[in-house]
Amino acid sequence: FSNDDDLDVSRLTYYALYALQHRGQESCGIAVNNVDADGNIKMLQYKDMGLVQEVFNDFVLNELSGQAAVGHVRYGTTGASSRESAQPLVSRYLKGSFALAHNGNLVNVEAMREELQAQGAIFQSTNDSEIVAHLMAKERINTASTAEAMLKVMKEIKGAYSLVILTPKRLIAVRDPQGFKPMCIGKLKNSYVFASETCALDSIGADYVREVEPGEVVVVDKEGLHSYTELCGQKRALCIFEYIYFARPDSVIDNMNVYHSRILAGKALAKSYPVEADLVVGVPDSGIAAAKGYAEGSGIPYGIAFHKNSYVGRTFIKPKQSQRESSVKIKLNVLSEVVKGKRVIMVDDSIVRGTTCANIIKMLKAAGATEVHVRVSSPPFLYPCYFGTDVPSNEVLIAHSHSQEEICEMIGADSLGYMELDKLQETVGDICYCDACFTGKYPMAIPENIIE
């Protein structure tokens, strides 16, 4: 939200989305509140399937002029992979219009959809973010402010949501009471910025101010920043996978540096699963810091064994398994000079389905590695996530139906060691987190109709 006349909000949003591209490569979009020649404020938006650099260009950004902007990169976990599901969602209703961007998943989505449809609501997409937009419009008609409407909506929806909502005169940021997904506040000159990660603030030269607190509604307008905290104070449950995989290593989430967290994870692995070897390597990108931590903890030299093609997206968040497998083959190439004739410890952030890990081990051994010992900086995935990580059912989780010894044999490793569950806390300090994908202990009740 710009209180400075010289800030180009659409381009700043574009640069910030570029910094957050790792969070989703399916689609992206930007919406702005534009003032026309008659002084009327209207919402303009542009969104499409693809990467930020593919969707936007100078012509598009020049058309998206305004006082404030909201942008989104989508990693689809609910709803169809289509342009209709791309965000931000722009909605027009009795009191005007607003644009909404959502990170996370709602768990009571089916009940809410059925209730809204019974009241005559029409849906253009199949994602849960549109439900939030419908509820927002409904509550705003009967309330004095957008903040009041949002607080009412928060009492109706359950699950993970970090939201940014742009109205003609305000920008609103919302974080669910458990704080599943990250969101921070930055300041650029006299203007405010909200982002999922601090790396987005860094990319546009904004200063980090603080986190949006779980349960908080933050409103920015011409007068400045206003905070509403009546739903704050509940037990936190930040997604532990932010530190293990999702977030960029240069980000700080809830006052914990992601890179430092991964270094600590690697050191914990070295202590739990020592092995005689010549070299420690990390699988780009999330495994690199953990590999350095393992090397520091074990005294075994760290090396770079992979060349990564930077123009290929992250395999775990490709919508289809076939896309994940083909991406691995063009994403990484092994440096045979580094691994030939050596016993290698390969550190990766997780094993979900097992196919990616197995392919990389084959590549290392084909390049001359005599042994490949796999160390994983997360515990085994045993249960599905309902809050925004694309692990939809037990059927795809290799650890759900196989023992550690069986997995080791299936992926072709010489040994396998996972992060011990009771050592996770050491990697994030005193942060309260959700680890339901490892334990099955969900921080809220999951409706029976969506349980896999």
Side-chain angles (χ1 to χ4, degrees), residues 111-126:
M112 297 303 307
R113 189 187 301 275
E114 288 175 9
E115 183 179 336
L116 287 165
Q117 286 176 328
Q119 296 170 7
I122 298 171
F123 291 93
Q124 302 297 322
S125 71
T126 54

Side-chain angles (χ1 to χ4, degrees), residues 384-414:
C385 174
Y386 301 104
F387 305 109
T389 302
D390 190 15
V391 187
S393 70
N394 293 334
E395 295 173 11
V396 302
L397 302 176
I398 190 171
H400 182 79
S401 53
H402 298 90
S403 68
Q404 188 165 317
E405 291 74 21
E406 289 172 332
I407 296 169
C408 183
E409 184 177 347
M410 290 168 71
I411 64 177
D414 290 277

Side-chain angles (χ1 to χ4, degrees), residues 157-410:
I157 58 178
K158 290 180 172 57
Y161 54 90
S162 284
L163 301 165
V164 180
I165 302 166
L166 176 62
T167 72
K169 295 183 179 179
R170 293 172 182 84
L171 187 62
I172 302 100
V174 183
R175 196 174 175 193
D176 68 73
Q178 278 69 46
F180 282 102
K181 300 295 178 182
M183 181 177 278
C184 60
I185 305 172
K187 196 167 186 184
L188 180 61
K189 296 184 178 181
N190 297 307
S191 304
Y192 285 97
V193 186
F194 299 103
S196 290
E197 296 182 37
T198 58
C199 65
L201 305 183
D202 297 336
S203 72
I204 60 172
D207 295 321
Y208 171 78
V209 176
R210 65 175 177 87
E211 302 290 321
V212 176
E213 291 297 314
E216 184 180 17
V217 176
V218 182
V219 179
V220 176
D221 56 23
K222 278 291 188 182
E223 281 69 52
L225 187 147
H226 317 276
S227 172
Y228 302 84
T229 59
E230 67 178 69
L231 296 180
C232 295
Q234 300 182 38
K235 186 176 180 180
R236 299 189 178 203
L238 177 68
C239 174
I240 191 65
F241 217 47
E242 290 289 343
Y243 295 102
I244 294 168
Y245 176 82
F246 270 121
R248 254 176 50 167
D250 53 331
S251 288
V252 176
I253 296 177
D254 281 358
N255 299 313
M256 181 69 183
N257 180 270
V258 174
Y259 177 82
H260 181 61
S261 173
R262 291 175 185 170
I263 290 286
L264 293 176
K267 289 182 176 180
L269 274 174
K271 190 174 180 180
S272 298
Y273 295 98
V275 66
E276 288 189 14
D278 305 304
L279 187 69
V280 182
V281 303
V283 178
D285 288 311
S286 314
I288 290 175
K292 285 185 68 65
Y294 192 103
E296 291 174 16
S298 65
I300 299 170
Y302 167 79
I304 298 173
F306 302 100
H307 171 72
K308 179 189 173 187
N309 184 337
S310 301
Y311 303 98
V312 182
R314 302 179 85 173
T315 55
F316 177 67
I317 55 181
K318 295 286 182 184
K320 295 181 180 178
Q321 179 63 21
S322 59
Q323 290 174 293
R324 295 186 190 100
E325 291 178 13
S326 61
S327 290
V328 172
K329 296 172 185 175
I330 60 172
K331 178 181 180 180
L332 295 177
N333 195 31
V334 177
L335 304 174
S336 58
E337 287 294 315
V338 176
V339 303
K340 189 174 183 180
K342 292 181 180 175
R343 300 167 296 174
V344 176
I345 299 169
M346 184 188 91
V347 182
D348 204 353
D349 55 78
S350 59
I351 299 177
V352 182
R353 300 162 180 86
T355 49
T356 298
C357 190
N359 285 334
I360 296 173
I361 292 168
K362 284 180 186 175
M363 290 163 62
L364 283 168
K365 291 195 171 181
T370 58
E371 298 175 9
V372 178
H373 301 274
V374 176
R375 299 295 179 263
V376 185
S377 60
S378 64
F381 271 93
L382 297 173
Y383 303 93
C385 174
Y386 301 104
F387 305 109
T389 302
D390 190 15
V391 187
S393 70
N394 293 334
E395 295 173 11
V396 302
L397 302 176
I398 190 171
H400 182 79
S401 53
H402 298 90
S403 68
Q404 188 165 317
E405 291 74 21
E406 289 172 332
I407 296 169
C408 183
E409 184 177 347
M410 290 168 71

